[in-house]
């Protein structure tokens, strides 16, 4: 009976001893992070440094748009080159008709150039000098990518002027002077001033299908009014400033009397209360000999 306290005390010491020898062990994630701490710190410092460098360059350019501290930005560009911030990829989006050699010439950027030295706004302005390019967007994506997005002008019509044929857009901007057949069937505009005002007349024609499908060319007369040249050779003379009403009247005449299918040289709609039709010139009949001429011919 005297040994019972020893047994209890022994159990308590063992329990205390076990508590001291079994502390909470760190997790596997903490062990992994601790082992790689020496690698993570330089990477984090590098990312933070690049971000601060990019912000500083943008701040310098915003404060000094005229370039009075060009030497400072040049030194930053050199530092970016040392850090691997050079042009490696150029991504182009939205190109369909613009020649790629024109885009390369406008960019003037080569692989390996310091990307921090590339001015997106200057590149945008140069791209927009290309006839096909209506709008452009240039974006730097560090560390080495330039993203170029362009919005091209849409071919609208063929414009004939002074014996020359060119492709124009709806605003009259010339976009191409060769390869005219690669854009499919386009309206034909003829004469000085037809390039700038043809889109409005074309929209009026499209509203009247009976007239539109018979028109071969829209001819600008003295930069004041229009003639419509039909596929059958008829010229339709439209009044100045009242083209819409005249085209509607012409469509009604076509539905009622098939006027546009008749062999006419001209249809004059310039007077609102009068319609003037000029027929095509018919061949003159052969002259018939008189009886006296026929008698002399027989005797001869």
């Amino acid at each position: 009976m005297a040994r019972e306290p020893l047994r209890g005390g022994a159990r308590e010491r063992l329990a205390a001893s076990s508590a001291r020898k079994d502390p909470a062990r760190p997790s596997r994630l903490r062990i992994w992070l601790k082992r790689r701490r020496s690698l993570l710190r330089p990477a984090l410092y590098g990312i933070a440094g690049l971000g601060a460098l990019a912000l500083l360059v943008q701040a310098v350019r915003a404060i000094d748009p005229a370039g009075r501290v060009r030497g400072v930005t040049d030194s930053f560009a050199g530092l970016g080159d040392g850090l691997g911030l050079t042009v490696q990829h150029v991504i182009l989006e939205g190109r369909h008709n613009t020649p790629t050699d024109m885009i390369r010439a406008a960019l003037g950027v080569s692989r390996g150039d310091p990307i921090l030295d590339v001015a997106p706004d200057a590149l945008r302005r140069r791209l927009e000098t290309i006839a096909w390019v209506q709008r452009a967007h240039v974006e730097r994506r560090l560390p080495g990518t330039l993203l170029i997005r362009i919005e091209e002008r849409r071919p609208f019509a063929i414009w004939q002027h002074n014996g020359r044929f060119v492709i124009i857009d709806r605003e009259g901007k010339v976009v191409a002077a060769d390869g005219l057949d690669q854009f499919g069937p386009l309206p034909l505009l003829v004469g000085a001033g037809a390039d700038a005002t043809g889109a409005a007349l074309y929209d009026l024609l499209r509203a009247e299908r009976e007239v539109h499908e018979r028109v071969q060319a829209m001819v600008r007369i003295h930069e004041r009014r229009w003639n419509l040249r039909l596929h059958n050779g008829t010229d339709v003379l439209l009044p100045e400033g009242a083209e819409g009403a005249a085209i509607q009247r012409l469509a009604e005449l076509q539905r009622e009397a098939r006027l546009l299918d008749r062999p006419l040289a001209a249809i004059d709609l310039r007077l609102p209360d009068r319609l003037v039709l000029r027929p095509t010139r018919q061949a003159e009949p052969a002259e018939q000999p008189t009886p006296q001429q026929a008698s002399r011919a027989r005797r001869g």
Side-chain angles (χ1 to χ4, degrees):
M1 293 183 65
R3 294 181 181 179
E4 286 297 328
L6 293 176
R7 291 175 183 172
R11 282 198 298 271
E12 289 176 3
R13 286 196 296 270
L14 287 173
S17 176
S18 298
R20 286 194 300 268
K21 291 182 179 181
D22 191 20
R25 300 186 61 183
S27 66
R28 293 182 180 180
L29 178 60
R30 291 182 61 186
I31 296 173
W32 184 86
L33 290 174
K34 186 175 181 180
R35 291 177 179 175
R36 287 159 178 77
R37 187 178 301 169
S38 59
L39 299 176
L40 289 174
R41 283 182 179 176
L44 293 174
Y45 292 155
I47 294 173
L50 291 178
L53 178 61
L55 290 174
L56 184 57
V57 170
Q58 295 297 334
V60 169
R61 286 178 173 169
I63 295 172
D64 183 35
R68 289 187 295 271
V69 290
R70 177 67 178 174
V72 176
T73 58
D74 284 345
S75 65
F76 286 147
L79 179 58
D81 192 8
L83 295 173
L85 298 180
T86 60
V87 176
Q88 297 298 319
H89 306 285
V90 178
I91 300 174
L92 177 60
E93 298 178 353
R95 190 200 74 84
H96 299 286
N97 299 307
T98 310
T100 53
D101 57 344
M102 289 187 178
I103 294 177
R104 291 193 188 98
L107 291 175
V109 175
S110 301
R111 185 174 184 178
D113 290 348
I115 196 169
L116 295 180
D117 202 31
V118 174
D121 195 55
L123 294 190
R124 176 190 59 79
R125 289 194 298 269
R126 291 206 297 267
L127 286 169
E128 290 177 352
T129 62
I130 301 174
W132 275 109
V133 179
Q134 187 169 15
R135 279 180 288 273
H137 172 78
V138 180
E139 179 181 338
R140 287 183 304 198
R141 291 187 174 179
L142 299 179
T145 299
L146 284 179
L147 176 62
I148 312 295
R149 294 192 185 97
I150 62 174
E151 181 180 339
E152 293 184 335
R153 299 181 183 275
R154 304 180 103 184
F156 163 66
I158 299 174
W159 178 39
Q160 177 188 352
H161 182 51
N162 292 332
R164 183 169 175 250
F165 293 85
V166 294
I167 299 290
I168 61 173
D169 69 352
R170 287 183 64 91
E171 298 175 358
K173 176 77 173 180
V174 176
V175 295
D178 50 11
L180 306 184
D181 56 346
Q182 64 180 317
F183 305 107
L186 295 175
L188 176 60
L189 303 173
V190 181
D195 53 335
T197 56
L201 179 64
Y202 180 73
D203 292 341
L204 294 174
L205 284 173
R206 289 194 63 185
E208 301 293 347
R209 186 179 60 85
E210 296 89 347
V211 180
H212 174 250
E213 63 187 10
R214 289 170 171 79
V215 173
Q216 182 182 38
M218 294 169 277
V219 184
R220 190 70 170 163
I221 306 299
H222 303 304
E223 299 190 49
R224 295 188 303 104
R225 65 171 194 85
W226 291 95
N227 279 2
L228 303 177
R229 170 60 62 90
L230 306 185
H231 288 289
N232 62 4
T234 302
D235 286 321
V236 179
L237 285 62
L238 299 179
E240 180 181 357
E243 294 87 358
I247 292 173
Q248 290 178 0
R249 182 183 178 194
L250 192 62
E252 292 174 359
L253 290 170
Q254 173 62 18
R255 287 189 291 266
E256 295 172 358
R258 310 299 296 177
L259 181 65
L260 301 181
D261 298 330
R262 297 184 181 184
L264 297 172
I267 302 172
D268 194 342
L269 298 172
R270 288 177 293 177
L271 299 176
D273 58 347
R274 188 179 306 173
L275 175 65
V276 179
L277 304 179
R278 188 191 314 157
T280 56
R281 294 188 61 182
Q282 302 293 333
E284 295 290 341
E287 183 179 357
Q288 298 297 324
T290 63
Q292 293 81 3
Q293 292 173 332
S295 176
R296 285 196 295 270
R298 283 195 298 270
R299 286 196 300 268

